[in-house]
Amino acid sequence: MTRRPHERPDAGLAARICLQRGALRVDLELAVLAGEVVALVGPNGAGKSTVLRALAGLLPLQQGRTMLGSMIMDDVDAGIREPSHRRPVGVVFQDYLLFPHLSVLDNVAFGPRATGASRHDAREKARQALRRVGAAELSTLRPGRISGGQAQRVALARALATDPQLLLLDEPLAALDARTRLMVRGELRRHLADFAGATLVITHDPVDAAVLADRLVVIESGSVVQTGTPTEVARRPRTEYVARLVGLNLMTGTGHGHRVDVAGGGVVHVAAHSEGEMYVAFRPAAVSLFTKRPEGSPRNLWQGRISGLEPHGEGVRVEIGALHLGASILAEVTQAAVADLGLRPGSTVWAGVKASDVEVYPR
Amino acid sequence: METRQRHRERVLLGKVPWLLAAPALLALLFLILPLLGLLIRAPWPDAWQVITDDQAVQALRLSLITATVSMLIAMVLGVPLAWLLARSGLPGLGVLRALITVPLVLPPVVGGVALFTILGRSGLLGRPLFELTGFAFPFTPYAVVLAQVFVALPYLVLSVEGALRTADSRYEEAAATLGARPMTVFSRVTLPLIGPGVAAGAVLAWARALGEFGATITFAGNFPGTTRTMPLEVYLALETDPGAALMLSVLLLAVSVLVLVLLRDRWVNRW
């Protein structure tokens, strides 16, 4: 991973967070360097928001310790818990939570004003922050009068106006429609790149995560299941959830040279040498479908039954079950292929994957 | 579009079951008819004379001043109490809330007697106060205010507490993450957000104070100019001059409605 020039390992976030929320037990370690953008990714109910609230001081830890630079924010053993208002942490909430009774300018000036700046200085600072995110012209409006994309920018300006060392963003793009989202995502990426502190973005959208973050931390049921750059995670998923998130077929098995005995009972041939407990993954687009057993066949060929078809981008996603693999796989084919081959739920097909298209990596 | 909506509404109204419609209509009549009776039977030709009568003017002035002071006191004390109930999470709040609702259901006369036992000249707090300063509450305008605050405060507290419960407390969390201390959060975020609720509570408290009779006559007495408020004046007039009593009632009704309308426009629907 290339490190940005202004990344400072000594000034970032180092946290161990343990707490129980209903049936969910969160227990994880998290480190974000200053200047680094980390995306916390996971399914609903994985504990993403709990982590954010704990870091913002809105939820007490049951065990653990959080440090930001040299400041201890929480230390359960030492009985330390800094209240929210004394943490150098800025938060952009999911639905932004701009104060409806204040103008955009006063929303952004709220932080500086609350931390002791004079009214004049606070407004000046707010004007600068709004200018930086390109929202200066909104200053006099009430939050009820601005669009979702504009509210997102204002919320970011408000969080940054307090000069935080840690910026937390909770699903920053989830409240936006698809068109706005595309535009705001690019903008947000630029603003986050300019921010000198540590940034933690919570998202369940793989594209948001890949665009915004330098590194992903995937959590499921309150624990970290995988970390890495977006490319690493997308190429070598380690759980069913991540595989589905990035749209890959994933299986576990035991490697014996160029073959992997899959946990469900089948065999996958791979190009790379493998030994021991392995993951195998391949893209749905790498799967070819045939109605008859093909000649000059690829190394991997499985017979199965189509259990579902759904449009996906330009093409069609085909789910094939009842293979000799103990798992169903996804194939991605063109609309034309679906018509030519007469594919429909219940059809019997042969699915082929070249050994060189299968990624294999240790568990 | 709009006509279709209207049409649908009328169809729905046509289907209101009579088991609901009949008692509803009865309730409406029951509430409106007495007010109409007041307006119909009031001796309008004597209106000016009754209203400008010295005693009536005195009573109205006292009523308006004491009710307004009581409302302000209820707000200063009641909003923090409502906050404590809705946000503090302290143990025993259920019991506290129950205690607060007692004055709400207590007959006001009993409230007046209760105030006497505490703040009367020989009351638990009233006696030391009298011995130290020579001052006693009963039979002063201060007693009128105390009686009114006692009956009006629960209305304000419950109304503001309701507003606090329905207000989105995540705005307060957002304010805290921006560096605002709890007191700043309260004054700059919580209070503006529950403004309409506080206004509604204040209007209720004001109206309740303006109409207060039982606790006032028991605890403050009935002295013209110092403790005789409008409701007391109306009651007395009813024995001597029923026509004047009607006219004064109309006046009180008009003042209440006017204030209600003015406050609604000014305080509610601010954003």
Side-chain angles (χ1 to χ4, degrees):
Chain A
M1 192 180 84
T2 53
R3 190 169 276 185
R4 292 201 202 139
H6 55 261
E7 259 175 28
R8 286 171 300 146
D10 56 316
L13 169 78
R16 170 145 187 272
I17 295 168
C18 300
L19 56 92
Q20 186 87 31
R21 290 281 280 170
L24 175 71
R25 168 130 199 101
V26 176
D27 185 348
L28 53 85
E29 285 188 32
L30 200 60
V32 187
L33 304 176
E36 189 187 24
V37 179
V38 168
L40 192 62
V41 187
N44 283 336
K48 304 188 297 277
S49 294
T50 303
V51 170
L52 179 135
R53 291 175 59 78
L55 289 174
L58 300 171
L59 265 184
L61 299 186
Q62 278 155 3
Q63 274 303 314
R65 189 173 137 96
T66 61
M67 279 190 73
L68 191 54
S70 57
M71 179 192 192
I72 300 173
M73 297 198 296
D74 296 275
D75 189 337
V76 175
D77 291 335
I80 297 173
R81 186 187 168 208
E82 287 293 336
S84 278
H85 65 268
R86 262 189 264 150
R87 298 180 180 219
V89 176
V91 186
V92 175
F93 292 89
Q94 184 167 0
D95 28 18
Y96 313 134
L97 298 179
L98 298 176
F99 305 126
H101 59 289
L102 297 179
S103 70
V104 162
L105 183 69
D106 285 338
N107 259 281
V108 181
F110 186 95
R113 186 93 180 93
T115 44
S118 73
R119 184 182 297 259
H120 176 267
D121 292 353
R123 286 207 166 151
E124 192 44 48
K125 192 151 199 193
R127 269 186 211 103
Q128 281 172 19
L130 282 170
R131 225 174 289 134
R132 263 204 304 276
V133 301
E137 77 282 2
L138 304 173
S139 294
T140 56
L141 297 176
R142 285 281 163 96
R145 301 244 172 270
I146 63 178
S147 72
Q150 291 170 332
Q152 202 277 340
R153 278 188 263 163
V154 173
L156 182 67
R158 185 174 74 168
L160 289 176
T162 57
D163 297 322
Q165 290 175 42
L166 172 65
L167 182 63
L168 303 171
L169 300 101
D170 191 359
E171 301 277 5
L173 304 169
L176 305 176
D177 60 77
R179 255 180 74 89
T180 320
R181 194 179 178 125
L182 198 68
M183 205 179 66
V184 175
R185 190 192 284 139
E187 260 174 34
L188 185 58
R189 178 193 161 82
R190 272 193 296 113
H191 296 312
L192 294 186
D194 290 343
F195 176 57
T199 307
L200 186 68
V201 185
I202 282 183
T203 179
H204 67 273
D205 185 310
V207 183
D208 289 351
V211 171
L212 297 175
D214 304 320
R215 190 157 60 85
L216 306 190
V217 173
V218 185
I219 65 171
E220 282 175 50
S221 315
S223 307
V224 176
V225 293
Q226 186 166 9
T227 69
T229 65
T231 324
E232 282 165 11
V233 172
R235 252 185 61 204
R236 300 186 154 189
R238 301 188 80 84
T239 71
E240 191 62 34
Y241 165 75
V242 183
R244 232 177 312 126
L245 194 72
V246 299
L248 285 188
N249 290 299
L250 177 73
M251 281 161 256
T252 56
T254 314
H256 302 286
H258 291 293
R259 54 174 282 179
V260 175
D261 292 341
V262 176
V267 172
V268 177
H269 298 279
V270 297
H273 184 86
S274 73
E275 211 66 55
E277 298 294 292
M278 305 300 274
Y279 285 107
V280 291
F282 50 91
R283 289 175 300 116
V287 180
S288 318
L289 296 184
F290 312 92
T291 44
K292 288 196 282 281
R293 189 181 180 101
E295 313 205 349
S297 61
R299 287 301 307 275
N300 292 298
L301 192 63
W302 310 292
Q303 195 178 24
R305 194 179 290 274
I306 294 178
S307 53
L309 294 143
E310 69 176 39
H312 180 86
E314 304 272 286
V316 178
R317 278 253 160 118
V318 185
E319 189 176 1
I320 304 144
L323 303 143
H324 306 294
L325 279 172
S328 62
I329 63 167
L330 286 174
E332 201 172 304
V333 296
T334 60
Q335 301 271 11
V338 172
D340 289 348
L341 298 174
L343 302 180
R344 57 178 190 278
S347 310
T348 304
V349 289
W350 293 87
V353 182
K354 284 192 236 166
S356 57
D357 281 338
V358 179
E359 185 85 18
V360 58
Y361 46 98
R363 270 200 269 171
Chain B
M1 186 67 208
E2 201 188 343
T3 50
R4 226 173 72 191
Q5 190 106 18
R6 285 256 172 85
H7 183 66
R8 225 180 92 183
E9 275 168 21
R10 214 171 293 146
V11 169
L12 275 178
L13 267 179
K15 280 183 189 163
V16 172
W18 63 269
L19 254 175
L20 293 181
L25 202 65
L26 206 61
L28 211 58
L29 286 177
F30 183 69
L31 288 176
I32 291 171
L33 277 183
L35 296 183
L36 277 178
L38 212 55
L39 292 177
I40 292 166
R41 295 296 299 274
W44 291 101
D46 303 338
W48 187 248
Q49 196 202 328
V50 172
I51 287 171
T52 53
D53 174 75
D54 270 356
Q55 282 214 9
V57 170
Q58 248 180 12
L60 182 64
R61 215 177 73 109
L62 183 68
S63 265
L64 290 178
I65 291 173
T66 52
T68 305
V69 170
S70 300
M71 177 193 77
L72 293 175
I73 292 176
M75 280 169 83
V76 169
L77 303 179
V79 172
L81 180 55
W83 183 87
L84 202 77
L85 287 175
R87 289 282 192 271
S88 69
L90 293 174
L93 285 178
V95 178
L96 207 60
R97 194 175 298 114
L99 281 176
I100 287 164
T101 45
V102 168
L104 211 59
V105 294
L106 198 69
V109 174
V110 178
V113 174
L115 280 172
F116 233 108
T117 60
I118 292 293
L119 293 168
R121 187 172 293 193
S122 53
L124 293 173
L125 297 175
R127 184 195 291 272
L129 179 74
F130 181 66
E131 282 165 0
L132 275 174
T133 64
F135 172 80
F137 278 107
F139 317 120
T140 66
Y142 304 106
V144 176
V145 170
L146 283 181
Q148 290 177 350
V149 171
F150 182 76
V151 296
L153 190 55
Y155 286 87
L156 185 116
V157 171
L158 293 182
S159 165
V160 173
E161 197 208 344
L164 279 168
R165 285 188 181 284
T166 50
D168 193 340
S169 62
R170 292 178 313 151
Y171 285 113
E172 293 164 3
E173 293 181 348
T177 67
L178 291 169
R181 275 170 300 183
M183 196 56 215
T184 313
V185 173
F186 176 77
S187 62
R188 294 213 45 215
V189 175
T190 314
L191 212 48
L193 283 179
I194 60 165
V198 175
V203 169
L204 264 180
W206 186 83
R208 182 64 190 85
L210 189 73
E212 171 43 35
F213 178 86
T216 311
I217 202 165
T218 320
F219 180 54
N222 180 19
F223 294 99
T226 50
T227 71
R228 186 181 294 169
T229 56
M230 271 304 263
L232 271 61
E233 182 73 27
V234 170
Y235 180 74
L236 286 175
L238 203 56
E239 297 193 328
T240 54
D241 183 358
L246 280 179
M247 210 55 240
L248 290 174
S249 300
V250 171
L251 180 63
L252 206 49
L253 177 70
V255 169
S256 323
V257 170
L258 187 74
V259 167
L260 213 72
V261 168
L262 284 179
L263 290 187
R264 252 197 106 71
D265 283 354
R266 189 168 288 263
W267 282 359
V268 186
N269 309 326
R270 267 187 50 199
W271 56 81

